[in-house]
Amino acid sequence: MARDLKYTRNIGIMAHIDAGKTTTSERILFYTGKTHKLGEVHDGAATMDWMVQEQERGITITSAATTAFWKYNNETYQINLIDTPGHVDFTVEVERSLRVLDGAVATFCAVGRVQPQSETVWRQADKYRVPKIAYVNKMDRVGADFFAVVDEMHEKLGANALPICIPIGSEDKFAGIIDLVSQKAIYYDQDCKELVNYELKEIPAEMMAEVEEWRGKLLEAVAEYDDRILQKFFDDPDLITEEEIIAALRKATIDMAVVPICCGSSFKNKGVQFLLDSVMRYLPSPLDVEEVKGTDPQTDAEVTRKPSASEPFCALVFKIATDPFVGRLAFLRAYSGKLDAGTYILNTRSGKKERVARLYQMHSNKQNPIEFVEAGDICAAVGFKELRTGDTICSEGNPIVLESISFPDPVIGLAVEPKTQKDLDKLGVALGKLAEEDPTFTVRSDHETGQTVISGMGELHLEVIVDRLKREFGVEINQGAPQVNYKETIRGTVQHREVFKKQTGGRGKFADIIVEISPADEGVTGLQFVDQVKGGNVPREYIPAVEKGFKSAMANGVLAGFEVPALKVTLLDGSFHPVDSDALSFEICARMAFRHALPKANPILLEPVMALEVVTPEDYMGDVISDLNKRRGQITNMDSKSNARIVKAEVPLSEQFGYVTVLRTISSGRATSSMEFSHYAELPANLAKEVIEKSGGSKRFDEDDE
């Protein structure tokens, strides 16, 4: 019998670093009876942080999935939970998790409030239209302020944040919460290790006025969504039932019109059960989500699939992981239909059939075998040969391609080499597996030096990769200094004629093209190729070869060999030889034209600029700002939050290496910082000269590429 999807919740926990995501996940596992011992992050014993690197650092690196069950309203609900990282270097994990989830719990620290990474994950959730409920954690800490978080959510996130409970006391006096819907006070016993560690009481008299104020705001927001409630709201608000409020609030949350907010302290075991109830109440089941849209690969027509087991099967692969015991695991979110273990499916990217050997339900890094997976479920599969992150798999007779996942480009590189010959073979295999797992991690060979360069999203990201190479794959490596991934572009426009002629006895090579090379139009990435050849001067069959030549040449710019991300090439004219011309001649001719013309078009280097946020006590403000000025930083905003100052700045990545250590030194360890990639900007001429000289300059292009 098919499971009722109404009782399934696919949710993720997302937040800034240190807001308490993993601790909240641990409590959810404990209260749902999945684990019988509370795992703590600071002890390195959290179930969801299973990697050695996570336990040592006390941070989440990889998103871990698990399944738990929760009883609500006498029904058992299945929760597929994904705990995501908060650190910006691992933003890809959040991106791919949100792509397949139906709802998210955005966790905020009651002291830190809305932090930069909170804004990033919030935007990611909005991008994939994921409904959210907010959870304000750490209400027991000094400086905790629930209502300040609500205000900041309105200001910084533009969210219609709506408290559904308010705290009883705060800091060390935080005793519990008042449920504004049922109008009951819930007092928690933090020392009680039972599953029910709370009792319901009447609302304290001194808090009645505050409760009425916030309940009024809640009813007002809900009344906009339900005409019946609106009528009662004007006649007699006391007649509005609890069920009516929940139904209207659920509808508003799924429509992303409001964000319900609850609060608690996960570490002190307060407020987690209420959060679970709220997830069941307000977040969507797979049935509440719109039917999934995709395209038919054969006709490019739009196709839809309803979230039902009777529909043809389709699923999205959102993550590839390597397990030492079972091999390559492909994490899937099934959107429609049913998939049995041992059957064949179609991979629409490669167009090949693949066999699903086994299916597993995941619990962190452990696998529980299951016979089949149905619409709305999340599982892991084994047996695939060619699956990648973002692939769609479906039943053979009903092909569909779902929207893939977009990933940011890596910004920082590191040269690595194996210590011994024995490590050489192992290194290639290990890097291949890691690049498969993580789309923001890339491996390339530098043509000039022959070095292997690995690139990622930040220093921490590469540090974890190097650590995994040692521990998981047993590869010892030497590593060079981190390198910034610069890019190249042009500011001018140039017309150029390139003739490629080669005679070696017998059939020769000949191609002749006239092109105009200019900066790409606004918002265009990659090669923008325009064909304006008249009268067949360049035969039709050779024009794709010209385009291909320019496209391949863009991987290595003319200044220092960095990628050219965008370029406009207009093919104006040319000529050919009836015997000697072929596609390869025109491709080589295009590559030569790129190398000869670009130096005349005012080429410049671009560098990645990071958005940095520093939170510092007032005393160290001057030192922090003067240090940022030294690093070519531009201050964009300064703000105060209780007794700390917040400095926002844009700083080039090349100046940021080792910044965390310097900041600790100048602020006696009291300031914190977080940064994320912002944009590419022009590198000043004196620094560009250094980078070009270091890379061997333009001399590599002096010889013709024949």
Side-chain angles (χ1 to χ4, degrees):
M1 181 187 129
R3 213 176 67 240
D4 191 345
L5 285 176
K6 192 163 83 182
Y7 303 120
T8 298
R9 296 287 180 273
N10 294 319
I11 60 163
I13 296 187
M14 59 178 203
H16 187 85
I17 312 153
D18 280 345
K21 294 177 295 298
T22 304
T23 306
T24 306
S25 304
E26 292 300 320
R27 298 303 183 266
I28 289 176
L29 293 182
F30 177 74
Y31 289 119
T32 54
K34 193 81 186 182
T35 54
H36 301 294
K37 179 175 171 285
L38 287 169
E40 301 296 1
V41 175
H42 54 259
D43 298 335
T47 314
M48 300 299 265
D49 285 353
W50 56 269
M51 284 168 74
V52 181
Q53 292 83 353
E54 295 178 314
Q55 292 166 357
E56 285 178 353
R57 290 173 173 79
I59 60 169
T60 304
I61 293 170
T62 177
S63 49
T66 187
T67 302
F69 296 90
W70 180 247
K71 266 199 133 38
Y72 170 71
N73 261 357
N74 300 323
E75 295 287 353
T76 302
Y77 286 73
Q78 177 175 329
I79 311 167
N80 294 322
L81 176 77
I82 296 183
D83 176 29
T84 66
H87 205 288
V88 66
D89 285 21
F90 310 107
T91 188
V92 57
E93 292 286 342
V94 185
E95 184 89 19
R96 56 182 170 198
S97 304
L98 287 172
R99 168 69 182 83
V100 297
L101 291 170
D102 301 327
V105 176
T107 310
F108 297 91
C109 168
V111 183
R113 302 176 202 167
V114 177
Q115 293 166 287
Q117 192 60 13
S118 321
E119 295 180 46
T120 308
V121 294
W122 195 269
R123 285 199 302 275
Q124 285 173 312
D126 282 346
K127 180 166 112 187
Y128 294 118
R129 291 201 52 75
V130 176
K132 301 167 278 289
I133 58 175
Y135 172 60
V136 178
N137 191 16
K138 304 195 177 184
M139 282 301 301
D140 59 310
R141 276 188 48 198
V142 175
D145 189 338
F146 174 71
F147 298 109
V149 181
V150 176
D151 291 343
E152 279 201 15
M153 283 178 69
H154 280 281
E155 284 163 35
K156 291 189 176 175
L157 304 173
N160 184 4
L162 199 61
I164 51 174
C165 68
I166 57 172
I168 305 171
S170 70
E171 301 181 359
D172 56 347
K173 305 256 183 336
F174 177 62
I177 56 178
I178 291 172
D179 181 355
L180 295 174
V181 177
S182 66
Q183 300 189 70
K184 284 274 188 281
I186 309 171
Y187 285 87
Y188 291 92
D189 177 1
Q190 68 182 51
D191 301 321
C192 172
K193 291 286 186 267
E194 299 299 313
L195 292 179
V196 178
N197 65 340
Y198 58 88
E199 52 183 327
L200 299 176
K201 293 183 182 174
E202 291 304 312
I203 297 171
E206 66 273 15
M207 289 187 71
M208 270 321 273
E210 192 179 12
V211 169
E212 276 173 14
E213 179 198 343
W214 284 100
R215 181 170 162 89
K217 289 181 182 175
L218 176 70
L219 292 179
E220 204 172 310
V222 166
E224 287 178 23
Y225 251 75
D226 194 318
D227 292 342
R228 282 183 311 177
I229 295 182
L230 188 64
Q231 195 59 46
K232 286 185 180 176
F233 183 70
F234 287 125
D235 296 345
D236 184 0
D238 293 339
L239 290 174
I240 304 173
T241 64
E242 197 176 323
E243 283 72 30
E244 285 175 326
I245 300 173
I246 292 172
L249 199 50
R250 175 178 177 82
K251 195 171 159 207
T253 308
I254 294 171
D255 280 352
M256 294 181 68
V258 300
V259 177
I261 307 179
C262 20
C263 61
S265 163
S266 299
F267 184 56
K268 296 282 173 49
N269 310 319
K270 296 174 181 176
V272 178
Q273 298 97 323
F274 183 76
L275 172 67
L276 276 166
D277 282 346
S278 304
V279 166
M280 308 309 138
R281 281 177 180 173
Y282 308 119
L283 285 183
S285 72
L287 296 174
D288 297 315
V289 181
E290 300 164 0
E291 53 190 27
V292 62
K293 292 185 177 69
T295 49
D296 186 326
Q298 291 153 356
T299 60
D300 280 342
E302 189 176 272
V303 194
T304 57
R305 294 273 192 278
K306 289 188 178 69
S308 152
S310 55
E311 289 265 307
F313 175 74
C314 79
L316 186 79
V317 177
F318 65 96
K319 181 173 171 162
I320 302 285
T322 308
D323 186 276
F325 303 109
V326 293
R328 280 184 77 210
L329 279 166
F331 284 72
L332 324 171
R333 156 75 201 259
Y335 282 99
S336 63
K338 179 181 172 187
L339 174 68
D340 292 302
T343 52
Y344 282 87
I345 49 94
L346 175 74
N347 175 359
T348 48
R349 179 182 53 80
S350 64
K352 292 182 180 168
K353 280 189 352 185
E354 299 228 30
R355 183 172 178 269
V356 185
R358 290 186 301 284
L359 291 168
Y360 295 110
Q361 200 167 59
M362 294 303 292
H363 176 51
S364 183
N365 63 331
K366 299 179 181 62
Q367 303 93 14
N368 303 320
I370 50 176
E371 293 298 311
F372 62 88
V373 59
E374 282 189 335
D377 234 338
I378 291 174
C379 74
V382 173
F384 296 111
K385 295 222 175 14
E386 287 186 23
L387 274 191
R388 290 189 205 151
T389 301
D391 282 358
T392 304
I393 57 170
C394 54
S395 54
E396 291 172 59
N398 299 280
I400 182 172
V401 179
L402 301 172
E403 179 199 351
S404 193
I405 311 171
S406 52
F407 298 115
D409 289 335
V411 291
I412 178 172
L414 190 71
V416 293
E417 60 177 31
K419 279 190 178 168
T420 63
Q421 190 61 39
K422 186 170 89 201
D423 288 328
L424 182 64
D425 301 335
K426 284 196 303 195
L427 179 65
V429 172
L431 288 175
K433 281 188 176 168
L434 289 170
E436 221 173 44
E437 279 184 35
D438 184 350
T440 56
F441 169 68
T442 58
V443 183
R444 63 178 177 84
S445 279
D446 191 305
H447 297 302
E448 292 301 298
T449 58
Q451 284 177 314
T452 301
V453 177
I454 59 175
S455 305
M457 297 305 293
E459 286 181 273
L460 179 65
H461 187 194
L462 292 180
E463 190 189 305
V464 167
I465 292 269
V466 168
D467 196 41
R468 285 185 66 188
L469 282 173
K470 275 188 197 145
R471 294 199 187 175
E472 282 175 42
F473 301 97
V475 180
E476 291 290 333
I477 57 165
N478 298 320
Q479 59 194 70
Q483 304 156 340
V484 175
N485 283 359
Y486 295 99
K487 297 226 165 129
E488 295 185 22
T489 189
I490 55 170
R491 280 192 299 200
T493 298
V494 64
Q495 268 203 26
H496 179 80
R497 180 169 195 171
E498 189 71 46
V499 181
F500 171 58
K501 215 187 272 183
K502 199 171 178 189
Q503 210 62 46
T504 50
R507 222 180 122 183
K509 297 247 176 250
F510 179 84
D512 168 21
I513 56 172
I514 300 171
V515 288
E516 183 181 274
I517 296 179
S518 58
D521 296 347
E522 192 82 23
V524 176
T525 52
L527 176 64
Q528 188 183 351
F529 188 76
V530 182
D531 167 23
Q532 287 187 359
V533 178
K534 302 280 187 299
N537 289 349
V538 177
R540 287 270 146 246
E541 62 266 29
Y542 299 151
I543 287 171
V546 176
E547 185 176 355
K548 186 181 169 192
F550 276 108
K551 206 174 255 172
S552 63
M554 281 168 69
N556 296 95
V558 294
L559 288 173
F562 294 107
E563 182 195 359
V564 179
L567 196 66
K568 184 175 182 179
V569 174
T570 309
L571 181 60
L572 301 169
D573 205 359
S575 65
F576 73 104
H577 188 281
V579 177
D580 290 353
S581 287
D582 58 7
L584 183 62
S585 304
F586 276 94
E587 190 180 329
I588 294 171
C589 187
R591 290 221 298 264
M592 287 164 60
F594 176 89
R595 293 185 175 174
H596 293 148
L598 245 65
K600 302 172 198 162
N602 193 0
I604 54 169
L605 278 183
L606 300 172
E607 62 175 347
V609 176
M610 310 303 278
L612 175 76
E613 181 174 286
V614 182
V615 180
T616 172
E618 182 85 50
D619 310 356
Y620 307 106
M621 190 78 173
D623 294 344
V624 168
I625 288 177
S626 70
D627 179 65
L628 286 175
N629 290 336
K630 269 193 280 191
R631 297 172 183 271
R632 298 191 287 124
Q634 286 192 331
I635 310 288
T636 54
N637 195 352
M638 285 163 80
D639 202 359
S640 305
K641 190 186 280 180
S642 53
N643 56 353
R645 298 298 297 268
I646 298 164
V647 181
K648 290 190 176 177
E650 288 184 344
V651 190
L653 176 68
S654 56
E655 306 285 346
Q656 281 295 85
F657 293 131
Y659 180 66
V660 174
T661 315
V662 172
L663 184 66
R664 276 187 198 139
T665 310
I666 58 180
S667 69
S668 312
R670 288 174 67 192
T672 57
S673 72
S674 60
M675 70 173 183
E676 59 181 332
F677 172 71
S678 170
H679 61 280
Y680 272 93
E682 186 177 339
L683 184 66
N686 58 330
L687 295 169
K689 192 169 169 217
E690 279 176 35
V691 171
I692 293 167
E693 280 169 4
K694 212 182 265 179
S695 71
S698 308
K699 66 178 188 292
R700 62 176 85 185
F701 302 117
D702 291 347
E703 318 89 46
D704 271 351
D705 165 35
E706 277 161 26

